[in-house]
Amino acid sequence: GNSVTQMEGPVTLSEEAFLTINCTYTATGYPSLFWYVQYPGEGLQLLLKATKADDKGSNKGFEATYRKETTSFHLEKGSVQVSDSAVYFCALSDRAFGNEKLTFGTGTRLTIIP
Amino acid sequence: DTAVSQTPKYLVTQMGNDKSIKCEQNLGHDTMYWYKQDSKKFLKIMFSYNNKELIINETVPNRFSPKSPDKAHLNLHINSLELGDSAVYFCASSQARGLGETQYFGPGTRLLVL
């Protein structure tokens, strides 16, 4: 079946540091890939997505590139801010028997220290 | 102007009780979902409805019964609550069922079963 593996957290960085959160996936077909972010006490919101190989999703300074050859979708940001502190979820959407659904990774908690 | 809303936000109840959680979306979307997030932040889909029709049922105990009176609402009724049902339940919606469709999440309902 489908699965998403994220790097274990928590991750703690200083402000302006470079961020990478690794994500790899297993899927039977050609999935779409997503990063969702969950701020404390809130629901998830889409951060970025990519729907085919070599696509790059980007938003708010975050980027991720859909790498089919390595089945990866790593999240990067060049200079993090305190406001980026949240839980980040990698996810894939795949069509199984006609029913699309999101499969999530376990989430990575990120804390940015001023 | 909340896009996806859930009520109640918090729910504390005794084992064995029956409770309902309501979800409404004002985005005009066709598809709605219920997810369960456990204490370790792991998110798993429970149900999905498209135009009031059940399309995904992820081996959830039959104590959980979703109901969609119209495509803007998806409620979740839980019978005979158990300690293991304690979690955060998120409702979400998407425009359609396409692979790359973004899902929009509600703020969550925090259920605690004592």
Side-chain angles (χ1 to χ4, degrees), chain A residues 3 12 17 25 38 42 45 49 53 55 57 63-65 67 71-72 75 78 84-85 92-93 97 101 112 114:
Chain A
S3 66
T12 303
Y25 67 89
Q38 184 177 26
E42 297 183 12
Q45 51 187 275
K49 69 180 183 183
D55 270 1
E63 292 183 341
T65 301
R67 301 280 187 208
T71 61
S72 64
L75 183 68
D84 294 327
S85 298
L92 70 83
S93 171
F97 307 110
K101 62 178 183 179
I112 307 300

Side-chain angles (χ1 to χ4, degrees), chain A residues 9-22:
Chain A
V11 174
T12 303
L13 295 172
S14 298
E15 206 165 19
E16 298 183 5
F18 183 85
L19 168 71
T20 301
I21 301 178
N22 289 338

Side-chain angles (χ1 to χ4, degrees), chain B residues 4-114:
Chain B
V4 183
S5 58
Q6 294 179 229
T7 53
K9 192 169 183 180
Y10 299 96
L11 187 52
V12 181
T13 188
Q14 299 287 331
M15 231 169 32
N17 283 351
D18 303 338
K19 290 293 178 187
S20 292
I21 306 172
K22 296 186 176 183
C23 177
E24 176 181 2
Q25 54 95 3
N26 63 6
L27 298 167
H29 287 169
D30 287 341
T31 308
M32 296 184 74
Y33 312 81
W34 278 111
Y35 289 88
K36 180 179 179 181
Q37 185 177 45
D38 64 23
S39 58
K40 296 182 178 178
K41 296 287 190 181
F42 185 66
L43 264 165
K44 189 165 165 50
I45 191 165
M46 300 173 71
F47 301 104
S48 173
Y49 271 72
N50 182 255
N51 276 322
K52 303 194 297 174
E53 180 187 349
L54 179 67
I55 55 172
I56 293 176
N57 182 340
E58 283 288 299
T59 18
V60 176
N62 57 15
R63 298 183 295 106
F64 291 79
S65 50
K67 280 192 172 51
S68 182
D70 55 62
K71 73 173 193 179
H73 295 84
L74 180 61
N75 303 324
L76 184 64
H77 187 76
I78 315 170
N79 288 327
S80 303
L81 278 155
E82 300 177 356
L83 295 177
D85 298 332
S86 296
V88 182
Y89 292 84
F90 287 101
C91 177
S93 71
S94 63
Q95 177 68 43
R97 296 167 57 189
L99 274 182
E101 288 293 329
T102 299
Q103 293 187 19
Y104 295 82
F105 284 76
T109 295
R110 284 146 185 83
L111 171 65
L112 178 60
V113 182
L114 301 175

Side-chain angles (χ1 to χ4, degrees), chain A residues 40-84:
Chain A
E42 297 183 12
L44 281 74
Q45 51 187 275
L46 179 71
L47 181 60
L48 53 84
K49 69 180 183 183
T51 57
K52 61 183 188 298
D54 300 324
D55 270 1
K56 178 188 280 189
S58 60
N59 186 26
K60 299 182 182 178
F62 290 89
E63 292 183 341
T65 301
Y66 187 161
R67 301 280 187 208
K68 190 166 181 292
E69 63 276 13
T70 53
T71 61
S72 64
F73 192 55
H74 304 321
L75 183 68
E76 295 182 339
K77 185 174 186 182
S79 175
V80 292
Q81 306 301 313
V82 172
S83 57
D84 294 327

